[in-house]
Amino acid sequence: MDSFGLGHQHAVESDAPTPSRWSPSADQLPSSLTVLTGPTHGPVDLPLHLAWSGLRTFDLDDDKLLLGMYRIVLTTGLRDDYIQFLDGNLLTSHWPRLRKMVGRDVRKAWEGTFPQLRLYTGWAAA
């Protein structure tokens, strides 16, 4: 008998990484950056499930606002949100700055699925 009492079974440890609740799972990411065909300029209104506090309208012609909107979508969105609000070319060109804004788990998920994003960061190591 162990210190936990009769019938207690120890959890089996696994080498598999535990998914983070702060990063998208692989099945939530788009199949390709080319399917990201969101708006590329002008004002964009995010729905409440993405922008539930603060600014909801973002002018994509202003880099600060574009980066802010992309950060929100990347950190709180799901596949349909990525497709609707992100543009693959804008994401790629702004990735060096965005990757610093989204947090390690989100960054690793996107760069792990789309290694070409790492080419724009100045490093290509996994």
Side-chain angles (χ1 to χ4, degrees), residues 33-92:
L33 294 178
T34 60
V35 302
L36 302 178
T37 57
T40 58
H41 63 86
V44 175
D45 294 321
L46 289 182
L48 283 174
H49 75 273
L50 291 174
W52 49 269
S53 175
L55 188 63
R56 289 190 54 221
T57 301
F58 299 83
D59 183 353
L60 300 187
D61 296 321
D62 180 321
D63 276 355
K64 280 185 168 181
L65 294 175
L66 179 140
L67 290 169
M69 186 192 92
Y70 271 53
R71 182 187 57 78
I72 290 170
V73 175
L74 288 166
T75 58
T76 62
L78 299 173
R79 180 192 306 263
D80 290 342
D81 299 315
Y82 304 143
I83 293 168
Q84 181 177 357
F85 295 107
L86 302 179
D87 174 78
N89 291 327
L90 286 176
L91 177 67
T92 301

Side-chain angles (χ1 to χ4, degrees), residues 99 111 114-126:
R99 71 184 307 272
E111 290 179 352
F114 305 109
Q116 64 269 37
L117 289 174
R118 291 191 303 246
L119 298 175
Y120 294 92
T121 65
W123 65 279

Side-chain angles (χ1 to χ4, degrees), residues 107-115 118:
R107 179 175 58 245
K108 285 172 68 176
W110 280 84
E111 290 179 352
T113 301
F114 305 109
R118 291 191 303 246

